[in-house]
Amino acid sequence: MTHAQGVPVILGIDHIGLATDDPGGLAPFLTLLGMNPTDSGPAAAYGVNCDFWQSPGACVEVVSPAAGESAVGKYLKSRGPGLYHLAFEVDDLAADLAVLRAGGFVALDDQPVAGARDGMTVAFLYLRKPAGLLVELVQYATAHHRKAGAADVPH
């Protein structure tokens, strides 16, 4: 895909991030919503642990602090648990990061870093006004990261 007129190429919403210091306490409610745990792992660059929950058509990442001084830990102290970020899958992370920075987003990462899933590279951006929006751009090492039979379902 190409970047026409300075517009990022968004392949879809990869996941919605929820911040909590009690991921185990959230599990029964995600299960009640029909979601199943799919994978988990640390995002060492951010000092967090991540648990991914999947249902047809939706993916939630439960983000919890692995270190007290992580950005998520600070977020939880000031705002409490809840919606943390929106993650968009892209096919050219470096190019899309540059486009969004030029458009007014503040890059929180100097360079993309390894995400919590195998083959996942991410970068975070923030738009203070008008929405206070934290955006994660996600790129996978392979074009076929989605589960078989789920072509339109975020992984």
PDB file of all heavy atoms in Angstrom, residues 18-24 26 41-51 61-78 80-82 84:
ATOM      1  N   LEU A  18      -6.585  -1.728  27.690  1.00  0.00           N
ATOM      2  CA  LEU A  18      -7.147  -1.384  28.993  1.00  0.00           C
ATOM      3  C   LEU A  18      -6.034  -1.432  30.024  1.00  0.00           C
ATOM      4  O   LEU A  18      -5.268  -2.397  30.065  1.00  0.00           O
ATOM      5  CB  LEU A  18      -8.238  -2.377  29.393  1.00  0.00           C
ATOM      6  CG  LEU A  18      -9.456  -2.486  28.495  1.00  0.00           C
ATOM      7  CD1 LEU A  18     -10.404  -3.562  29.029  1.00  0.00           C
ATOM      8  CD2 LEU A  18     -10.165  -1.156  28.389  1.00  0.00           C
ATOM      9  N   ALA A  19      -5.933  -0.423  30.856  1.00  0.00           N
ATOM     10  CA  ALA A  19      -4.920  -0.372  31.911  1.00  0.00           C
ATOM     11  C   ALA A  19      -5.550  -0.799  33.232  1.00  0.00           C
ATOM     12  O   ALA A  19      -6.644  -0.350  33.583  1.00  0.00           O
ATOM     13  CB  ALA A  19      -4.357   1.049  32.041  1.00  0.00           C
ATOM     14  N   THR A  20      -4.859  -1.679  33.947  1.00  0.00           N
ATOM     15  CA  THR A  20      -5.312  -2.110  35.265  1.00  0.00           C
ATOM     16  C   THR A  20      -4.121  -2.633  36.058  1.00  0.00           C
ATOM     17  O   THR A  20      -3.135  -3.091  35.475  1.00  0.00           O
ATOM     18  CB  THR A  20      -6.393  -3.215  35.167  1.00  0.00           C
ATOM     19  OG1 THR A  20      -6.829  -3.562  36.487  1.00  0.00           O
ATOM     20  CG2 THR A  20      -5.871  -4.454  34.467  1.00  0.00           C
ATOM     21  N   ASP A  21      -4.224  -2.570  37.378  1.00  0.00           N
ATOM     22  CA  ASP A  21      -3.205  -3.202  38.203  1.00  0.00           C
ATOM     23  C   ASP A  21      -3.710  -4.553  38.713  1.00  0.00           C
ATOM     24  O   ASP A  21      -3.068  -5.201  39.515  1.00  0.00           O
ATOM     25  CB  ASP A  21      -2.767  -2.297  39.351  1.00  0.00           C
ATOM     26  CG  ASP A  21      -3.927  -1.855  40.233  1.00  0.00           C
ATOM     27  OD1 ASP A  21      -5.078  -2.290  40.008  1.00  0.00           O
ATOM     28  OD2 ASP A  21      -3.686  -1.056  41.148  1.00  0.00           O
ATOM     29  N   ASP A  22      -4.880  -4.991  38.196  1.00  0.00           N
ATOM     30  CA  ASP A  22      -5.479  -6.263  38.592  1.00  0.00           C
ATOM     31  C   ASP A  22      -5.983  -7.027  37.368  1.00  0.00           C
ATOM     32  O   ASP A  22      -7.190  -7.188  37.179  1.00  0.00           O
ATOM     33  CB  ASP A  22      -6.630  -6.006  39.571  1.00  0.00           C
ATOM     34  CG  ASP A  22      -7.248  -7.271  40.115  1.00  0.00           C
ATOM     35  OD1 ASP A  22      -6.660  -8.366  39.960  1.00  0.00           O
ATOM     36  OD2 ASP A  22      -8.347  -7.173  40.701  1.00  0.00           O
ATOM     37  N   PRO A  23      -5.058  -7.519  36.515  1.00  0.00           N
ATOM     38  CA  PRO A  23      -5.506  -8.223  35.316  1.00  0.00           C
ATOM     39  C   PRO A  23      -6.308  -9.485  35.618  1.00  0.00           C
ATOM     40  O   PRO A  23      -7.251  -9.816  34.893  1.00  0.00           O
ATOM     41  CB  PRO A  23      -4.217  -8.541  34.566  1.00  0.00           C
ATOM     42  CG  PRO A  23      -3.125  -8.374  35.548  1.00  0.00           C
ATOM     43  CD  PRO A  23      -3.607  -7.439  36.610  1.00  0.00           C
ATOM     44  N   GLY A  24      -5.979 -10.175  36.707  1.00  0.00           N
ATOM     45  CA  GLY A  24      -6.732 -11.371  37.090  1.00  0.00           C
ATOM     46  C   GLY A  24      -8.169 -11.038  37.470  1.00  0.00           C
ATOM     47  O   GLY A  24      -9.089 -11.812  37.207  1.00  0.00           O
ATOM     48  N   LEU A  26      -9.929  -8.711  36.163  1.00  0.00           N
ATOM     49  CA  LEU A  26     -10.653  -8.351  34.941  1.00  0.00           C
ATOM     50  C   LEU A  26     -11.037  -9.583  34.129  1.00  0.00           C
ATOM     51  O   LEU A  26     -12.006  -9.566  33.381  1.00  0.00           O
ATOM     52  CB  LEU A  26      -9.786  -7.400  34.102  1.00  0.00           C
ATOM     53  CG  LEU A  26     -10.409  -6.719  32.906  1.00  0.00           C
ATOM     54  CD1 LEU A  26     -11.668  -5.962  33.291  1.00  0.00           C
ATOM     55  CD2 LEU A  26      -9.404  -5.777  32.268  1.00  0.00           C
ATOM     56  N   GLY A  41       2.521 -11.561  27.284  1.00  0.00           N
ATOM     57  CA  GLY A  41       3.956 -11.378  27.345  1.00  0.00           C
ATOM     58  C   GLY A  41       4.296  -9.988  27.829  1.00  0.00           C
ATOM     59  O   GLY A  41       3.442  -9.111  27.893  1.00  0.00           O
ATOM     60  N   PRO A  42       5.553  -9.801  28.149  1.00  0.00           N
ATOM     61  CA  PRO A  42       5.993  -8.475  28.586  1.00  0.00           C
ATOM     62  C   PRO A  42       6.295  -7.577  27.386  1.00  0.00           C
ATOM     63  O   PRO A  42       6.665  -8.052  26.316  1.00  0.00           O
ATOM     64  CB  PRO A  42       7.272  -8.778  29.357  1.00  0.00           C
ATOM     65  CG  PRO A  42       7.817 -10.007  28.685  1.00  0.00           C
ATOM     66  CD  PRO A  42       6.610 -10.804  28.262  1.00  0.00           C
ATOM     67  N   ALA A  43       6.114  -6.306  27.575  1.00  0.00           N
ATOM     68  CA  ALA A  43       6.626  -5.295  26.658  1.00  0.00           C
ATOM     69  C   ALA A  43       7.709  -4.590  27.465  1.00  0.00           C
ATOM     70  O   ALA A  43       7.459  -3.587  28.147  1.00  0.00           O
ATOM     71  CB  ALA A  43       5.535  -4.344  26.191  1.00  0.00           C
ATOM     72  N   ALA A  44       8.900  -5.171  27.438  1.00  0.00           N
ATOM     73  CA  ALA A  44       9.995  -4.753  28.310  1.00  0.00           C
ATOM     74  C   ALA A  44      10.348  -3.283  28.161  1.00  0.00           C
ATOM     75  O   ALA A  44      10.682  -2.619  29.148  1.00  0.00           O
ATOM     76  CB  ALA A  44      11.219  -5.622  28.048  1.00  0.00           C
ATOM     77  N   ALA A  45      10.257  -2.744  26.952  1.00  0.00           N
ATOM     78  CA  ALA A  45      10.607  -1.345  26.728  1.00  0.00           C
ATOM     79  C   ALA A  45       9.693  -0.399  27.507  1.00  0.00           C
ATOM     80  O   ALA A  45      10.064   0.733  27.780  1.00  0.00           O
ATOM     81  CB  ALA A  45      10.543  -1.020  25.238  1.00  0.00           C
ATOM     82  N   TYR A  46       8.501  -0.888  27.863  1.00  0.00           N
ATOM     83  CA  TYR A  46       7.529  -0.049  28.571  1.00  0.00           C
ATOM     84  C   TYR A  46       7.336  -0.463  30.030  1.00  0.00           C
ATOM     85  O   TYR A  46       6.582   0.178  30.758  1.00  0.00           O
ATOM     86  CB  TYR A  46       6.182  -0.078  27.853  1.00  0.00           C
ATOM     87  CG  TYR A  46       6.272   0.384  26.424  1.00  0.00           C
ATOM     88  CD1 TYR A  46       6.109  -0.510  25.369  1.00  0.00           C
ATOM     89  CD2 TYR A  46       6.557   1.715  26.122  1.00  0.00           C
ATOM     90  CE1 TYR A  46       6.207  -0.080  24.057  1.00  0.00           C
ATOM     91  CE2 TYR A  46       6.659   2.141  24.823  1.00  0.00           C
ATOM     92  CZ  TYR A  46       6.481   1.243  23.788  1.00  0.00           C
ATOM     93  OH  TYR A  46       6.591   1.658  22.493  1.00  0.00           O
ATOM     94  N   GLY A  47       7.972  -1.552  30.459  1.00  0.00           N
ATOM     95  CA  GLY A  47       7.831  -2.010  31.838  1.00  0.00           C
ATOM     96  C   GLY A  47       6.427  -2.496  32.156  1.00  0.00           C
ATOM     97  O   GLY A  47       5.921  -2.256  33.249  1.00  0.00           O
ATOM     98  N   VAL A  48       5.798  -3.196  31.197  1.00  0.00           N
ATOM     99  CA  VAL A  48       4.431  -3.673  31.391  1.00  0.00           C
ATOM    100  C   VAL A  48       4.307  -5.142  31.010  1.00  0.00           C
ATOM    101  O   VAL A  48       5.116  -5.684  30.259  1.00  0.00           O
ATOM    102  CB  VAL A  48       3.406  -2.850  30.578  1.00  0.00           C
ATOM    103  CG1 VAL A  48       3.387  -1.393  31.022  1.00  0.00           C
ATOM    104  CG2 VAL A  48       3.662  -2.958  29.087  1.00  0.00           C
ATOM    105  N   ASN A  49       3.263  -5.754  31.539  1.00  0.00           N
ATOM    106  CA  ASN A  49       2.835  -7.080  31.118  1.00  0.00           C
ATOM    107  C   ASN A  49       1.555  -6.905  30.320  1.00  0.00           C
ATOM    108  O   ASN A  49       0.722  -6.043  30.650  1.00  0.00           O
ATOM    109  CB  ASN A  49       2.574  -7.980  32.329  1.00  0.00           C
ATOM    110  CG  ASN A  49       3.851  -8.290  33.066  1.00  0.00           C
ATOM    111  OD1 ASN A  49       4.873  -8.610  32.459  1.00  0.00           O
ATOM    112  ND2 ASN A  49       3.810  -8.182  34.385  1.00  0.00           N
ATOM    113  N   CYS A  50       1.389  -7.727  29.286  1.00  0.00           N
ATOM    114  CA  CYS A  50       0.247  -7.598  28.392  1.00  0.00           C
ATOM    115  C   CYS A  50      -0.436  -8.946  28.225  1.00  0.00           C
ATOM    116  O   CYS A  50       0.223  -9.951  27.957  1.00  0.00           O
ATOM    117  CB  CYS A  50       0.696  -7.090  27.025  1.00  0.00           C
ATOM    118  SG  CYS A  50       1.606  -5.544  27.093  1.00  0.00           S
ATOM    119  N   ASP A  51      -1.753  -8.956  28.387  1.00  0.00           N
ATOM    120  CA  ASP A  51      -2.570 -10.144  28.151  1.00  0.00           C
ATOM    121  C   ASP A  51      -3.573  -9.793  27.069  1.00  0.00           C
ATOM    122  O   ASP A  51      -4.317  -8.817  27.200  1.00  0.00           O
ATOM    123  CB  ASP A  51      -3.317 -10.561  29.424  1.00  0.00           C
ATOM    124  CG  ASP A  51      -2.380 -10.912  30.556  1.00  0.00           C
ATOM    125  OD1 ASP A  51      -1.442 -11.695  30.327  1.00  0.00           O
ATOM    126  OD2 ASP A  51      -2.580 -10.387  31.669  1.00  0.00           O
ATOM    127  N   GLU A  61      -6.312  -5.732  24.811  1.00  0.00           N
ATOM    128  CA  GLU A  61      -5.027  -5.945  25.472  1.00  0.00           C
ATOM    129  C   GLU A  61      -5.153  -5.390  26.886  1.00  0.00           C
ATOM    130  O   GLU A  61      -5.437  -4.201  27.070  1.00  0.00           O
ATOM    131  CB  GLU A  61      -3.912  -5.211  24.730  1.00  0.00           C
ATOM    132  CG  GLU A  61      -2.565  -5.332  25.410  1.00  0.00           C
ATOM    133  CD  GLU A  61      -1.506  -4.440  24.788  1.00  0.00           C
ATOM    134  OE1 GLU A  61      -1.856  -3.386  24.208  1.00  0.00           O
ATOM    135  OE2 GLU A  61      -0.327  -4.790  24.887  1.00  0.00           O
ATOM    136  N   VAL A  62      -4.961  -6.261  27.871  1.00  0.00           N
ATOM    137  CA  VAL A  62      -4.963  -5.834  29.268  1.00  0.00           C
ATOM    138  C   VAL A  62      -3.516  -5.526  29.624  1.00  0.00           C
ATOM    139  O   VAL A  62      -2.651  -6.397  29.581  1.00  0.00           O
ATOM    140  CB  VAL A  62      -5.545  -6.931  30.179  1.00  0.00           C
ATOM    141  CG1 VAL A  62      -5.483  -6.495  31.636  1.00  0.00           C
ATOM    142  CG2 VAL A  62      -6.980  -7.255  29.770  1.00  0.00           C
ATOM    143  N   VAL A  63      -3.257  -4.257  29.954  1.00  0.00           N
ATOM    144  CA  VAL A  63      -1.910  -3.781  30.231  1.00  0.00           C
ATOM    145  C   VAL A  63      -1.793  -3.509  31.723  1.00  0.00           C
ATOM    146  O   VAL A  63      -2.603  -2.775  32.297  1.00  0.00           O
ATOM    147  CB  VAL A  63      -1.619  -2.475  29.439  1.00  0.00           C
ATOM    148  CG1 VAL A  63      -0.200  -2.013  29.675  1.00  0.00           C
ATOM    149  CG2 VAL A  63      -1.903  -2.666  27.966  1.00  0.00           C
ATOM    150  N   SER A  64      -0.783  -4.120  32.346  1.00  0.00           N
ATOM    151  CA  SER A  64      -0.557  -3.905  33.771  1.00  0.00           C
ATOM    152  C   SER A  64       0.919  -3.618  34.007  1.00  0.00           C
ATOM    153  O   SER A  64       1.775  -4.119  33.279  1.00  0.00           O
ATOM    154  CB  SER A  64      -1.011  -5.126  34.575  1.00  0.00           C
ATOM    155  OG  SER A  64      -0.320  -6.282  34.169  1.00  0.00           O
ATOM    156  N   PRO A  65       1.214  -2.817  35.020  1.00  0.00           N
ATOM    157  CA  PRO A  65       2.614  -2.465  35.266  1.00  0.00           C
ATOM    158  C   PRO A  65       3.425  -3.657  35.773  1.00  0.00           C
ATOM    159  O   PRO A  65       2.972  -4.415  36.615  1.00  0.00           O
ATOM    160  CB  PRO A  65       2.532  -1.371  36.331  1.00  0.00           C
ATOM    161  CG  PRO A  65       1.180  -1.477  36.928  1.00  0.00           C
ATOM    162  CD  PRO A  65       0.296  -2.171  35.945  1.00  0.00           C
ATOM    163  N   ALA A  66       4.608  -3.805  35.193  1.00  0.00           N
ATOM    164  CA  ALA A  66       5.559  -4.797  35.684  1.00  0.00           C
ATOM    165  C   ALA A  66       6.561  -4.108  36.606  1.00  0.00           C
ATOM    166  O   ALA A  66       7.199  -4.744  37.423  1.00  0.00           O
ATOM    167  CB  ALA A  66       6.295  -5.462  34.520  1.00  0.00           C
ATOM    168  N   ALA A  67       6.660  -2.794  36.441  1.00  0.00           N
ATOM    169  CA  ALA A  67       7.554  -1.971  37.260  1.00  0.00           C
ATOM    170  C   ALA A  67       6.759  -0.759  37.741  1.00  0.00           C
ATOM    171  O   ALA A  67       5.953  -0.214  36.989  1.00  0.00           O
ATOM    172  CB  ALA A  67       8.761  -1.529  36.445  1.00  0.00           C
ATOM    173  N   GLY A  68       6.980  -0.338  38.973  1.00  0.00           N
ATOM    174  CA  GLY A  68       6.226   0.765  39.556  1.00  0.00           C
ATOM    175  C   GLY A  68       6.377   2.082  38.833  1.00  0.00           C
ATOM    176  O   GLY A  68       5.483   2.914  38.860  1.00  0.00           O
ATOM    177  N   GLU A  69       7.489   2.289  38.171  1.00  0.00           N
ATOM    178  CA  GLU A  69       7.741   3.564  37.515  1.00  0.00           C
ATOM    179  C   GLU A  69       7.385   3.555  36.026  1.00  0.00           C
ATOM    180  O   GLU A  69       7.779   4.445  35.301  1.00  0.00           O
ATOM    181  CB  GLU A  69       9.203   3.965  37.702  1.00  0.00           C
ATOM    182  CG  GLU A  69       9.556   4.287  39.142  1.00  0.00           C
ATOM    183  CD  GLU A  69       8.703   5.416  39.724  1.00  0.00           C
ATOM    184  OE1 GLU A  69       8.533   6.450  39.067  1.00  0.00           O
ATOM    185  OE2 GLU A  69       8.187   5.230  40.840  1.00  0.00           O
ATOM    186  N   SER A  70       6.629   2.572  35.582  1.00  0.00           N
ATOM    187  CA  SER A  70       6.240   2.536  34.172  1.00  0.00           C
ATOM    188  C   SER A  70       5.203   3.617  33.902  1.00  0.00           C
ATOM    189  O   SER A  70       4.549   4.126  34.814  1.00  0.00           O
ATOM    190  CB  SER A  70       5.657   1.171  33.821  1.00  0.00           C
ATOM    191  OG  SER A  70       4.407   0.992  34.468  1.00  0.00           O
ATOM    192  N   ALA A  71       5.050   3.952  32.636  1.00  0.00           N
ATOM    193  CA  ALA A  71       4.033   4.941  32.250  1.00  0.00           C
ATOM    194  C   ALA A  71       2.643   4.462  32.652  1.00  0.00           C
ATOM    195  O   ALA A  71       1.808   5.259  33.091  1.00  0.00           O
ATOM    196  CB  ALA A  71       4.102   5.208  30.746  1.00  0.00           C
ATOM    197  N   VAL A  72       2.392   3.163  32.532  1.00  0.00           N
ATOM    198  CA  VAL A  72       1.081   2.627  32.918  1.00  0.00           C
ATOM    199  C   VAL A  72       0.885   2.747  34.429  1.00  0.00           C
ATOM    200  O   VAL A  72      -0.200   3.092  34.893  1.00  0.00           O
ATOM    201  CB  VAL A  72       0.908   1.168  32.445  1.00  0.00           C
ATOM    202  CG1 VAL A  72      -0.328   0.530  33.043  1.00  0.00           C
ATOM    203  CG2 VAL A  72       0.834   1.118  30.933  1.00  0.00           C
ATOM    204  N   GLY A  73       1.938   2.478  35.204  1.00  0.00           N
ATOM    205  CA  GLY A  73       1.845   2.640  36.650  1.00  0.00           C
ATOM    206  C   GLY A  73       1.518   4.069  37.040  1.00  0.00           C
ATOM    207  O   GLY A  73       0.664   4.315  37.896  1.00  0.00           O
ATOM    208  N   LYS A  74       2.162   5.027  36.387  1.00  0.00           N
ATOM    209  CA  LYS A  74       1.879   6.438  36.649  1.00  0.00           C
ATOM    210  C   LYS A  74       0.458   6.796  36.213  1.00  0.00           C
ATOM    211  O   LYS A  74      -0.242   7.537  36.898  1.00  0.00           O
ATOM    212  CB  LYS A  74       2.903   7.318  35.917  1.00  0.00           C
ATOM    213  CG  LYS A  74       4.298   7.191  36.478  1.00  0.00           C
ATOM    214  CD  LYS A  74       5.295   7.974  35.655  1.00  0.00           C
ATOM    215  CE  LYS A  74       6.709   7.729  36.122  1.00  0.00           C
ATOM    216  NZ  LYS A  74       7.704   8.367  35.268  1.00  0.00           N
ATOM    217  N   TYR A  75       0.037   6.265  35.075  1.00  0.00           N
ATOM    218  CA  TYR A  75      -1.320   6.502  34.576  1.00  0.00           C
ATOM    219  C   TYR A  75      -2.350   5.999  35.591  1.00  0.00           C
ATOM    220  O   TYR A  75      -3.317   6.694  35.902  1.00  0.00           O
ATOM    221  CB  TYR A  75      -1.498   5.793  33.228  1.00  0.00           C
ATOM    222  CG  TYR A  75      -2.871   5.924  32.634  1.00  0.00           C
ATOM    223  CD1 TYR A  75      -3.178   6.981  31.783  1.00  0.00           C
ATOM    224  CD2 TYR A  75      -3.863   4.991  32.910  1.00  0.00           C
ATOM    225  CE1 TYR A  75      -4.441   7.107  31.235  1.00  0.00           C
ATOM    226  CE2 TYR A  75      -5.131   5.115  32.369  1.00  0.00           C
ATOM    227  CZ  TYR A  75      -5.416   6.169  31.527  1.00  0.00           C
ATOM    228  OH  TYR A  75      -6.664   6.297  30.989  1.00  0.00           O
ATOM    229  N   LEU A  76      -2.141   4.784  36.097  1.00  0.00           N
ATOM    230  CA  LEU A  76      -3.080   4.214  37.055  1.00  0.00           C
ATOM    231  C   LEU A  76      -3.145   5.033  38.347  1.00  0.00           C
ATOM    232  O   LEU A  76      -4.220   5.207  38.916  1.00  0.00           O
ATOM    233  CB  LEU A  76      -2.711   2.764  37.361  1.00  0.00           C
ATOM    234  CG  LEU A  76      -2.966   1.769  36.225  1.00  0.00           C
ATOM    235  CD1 LEU A  76      -2.293   0.433  36.511  1.00  0.00           C
ATOM    236  CD2 LEU A  76      -4.456   1.591  35.989  1.00  0.00           C
ATOM    237  N   LYS A  77      -2.006   5.551  38.791  1.00  0.00           N
ATOM    238  CA  LYS A  77      -1.998   6.376  40.007  1.00  0.00           C
ATOM    239  C   LYS A  77      -2.766   7.679  39.817  1.00  0.00           C
ATOM    240  O   LYS A  77      -3.436   8.152  40.720  1.00  0.00           O
ATOM    241  CB  LYS A  77      -0.560   6.688  40.432  1.00  0.00           C
ATOM    242  CG  LYS A  77       0.144   5.518  41.066  1.00  0.00           C
ATOM    243  CD  LYS A  77       1.560   5.877  41.456  1.00  0.00           C
ATOM    244  CE  LYS A  77       2.299   4.653  41.950  1.00  0.00           C
ATOM    245  NZ  LYS A  77       3.715   4.925  42.215  1.00  0.00           N
ATOM    246  N   SER A  78      -2.665   8.262  38.630  1.00  0.00           N
ATOM    247  CA  SER A  78      -3.321   9.551  38.415  1.00  0.00           C
ATOM    248  C   SER A  78      -4.760   9.435  37.909  1.00  0.00           C
ATOM    249  O   SER A  78      -5.596  10.268  38.241  1.00  0.00           O
ATOM    250  CB  SER A  78      -2.507  10.413  37.445  1.00  0.00           C
ATOM    251  OG  SER A  78      -2.514   9.841  36.147  1.00  0.00           O
ATOM    252  N   GLY A  80      -6.515   6.065  37.400  1.00  0.00           N
ATOM    253  CA  GLY A  80      -7.197   4.814  37.710  1.00  0.00           C
ATOM    254  C   GLY A  80      -7.314   3.922  36.489  1.00  0.00           C
ATOM    255  O   GLY A  80      -6.888   4.279  35.387  1.00  0.00           O
ATOM    256  N   PRO A  81      -7.913   2.744  36.666  1.00  0.00           N
ATOM    257  CA  PRO A  81      -8.007   1.786  35.564  1.00  0.00           C
ATOM    258  C   PRO A  81      -9.019   2.228  34.505  1.00  0.00           C
ATOM    259  O   PRO A  81      -9.919   3.014  34.783  1.00  0.00           O
ATOM    260  CB  PRO A  81      -8.465   0.500  36.258  1.00  0.00           C
ATOM    261  CG  PRO A  81      -9.173   0.963  37.483  1.00  0.00           C
ATOM    262  CD  PRO A  81      -8.496   2.232  37.900  1.00  0.00           C
ATOM    263  N   GLY A  82      -8.842   1.700  33.298  1.00  0.00           N
ATOM    264  CA  GLY A  82      -9.803   1.985  32.239  1.00  0.00           C
ATOM    265  C   GLY A  82      -9.169   1.977  30.869  1.00  0.00           C
ATOM    266  O   GLY A  82      -8.057   1.455  30.673  1.00  0.00           O
ATOM    267  N   TYR A  84      -7.052   2.736  27.878  1.00  0.00           N
ATOM    268  CA  TYR A  84      -5.698   3.285  27.873  1.00  0.00           C
ATOM    269  C   TYR A  84      -5.272   3.752  26.488  1.00  0.00           C
ATOM    270  O   TYR A  84      -4.764   4.850  26.337  1.00  0.00           O
ATOM    271  CB  TYR A  84      -4.724   2.236  28.422  1.00  0.00           C
ATOM    272  CG  TYR A  84      -3.317   2.731  28.601  1.00  0.00           C
ATOM    273  CD1 TYR A  84      -3.039   3.822  29.411  1.00  0.00           C
ATOM    274  CD2 TYR A  84      -2.258   2.096  27.974  1.00  0.00           C
ATOM    275  CE1 TYR A  84      -1.739   4.276  29.582  1.00  0.00           C
ATOM    276  CE2 TYR A  84      -0.957   2.537  28.140  1.00  0.00           C
ATOM    277  CZ  TYR A  84      -0.703   3.626  28.940  1.00  0.00           C
ATOM    278  OH  TYR A  84       0.575   4.071  29.109  1.00  0.00           O
TER     279      TYR A  84
END
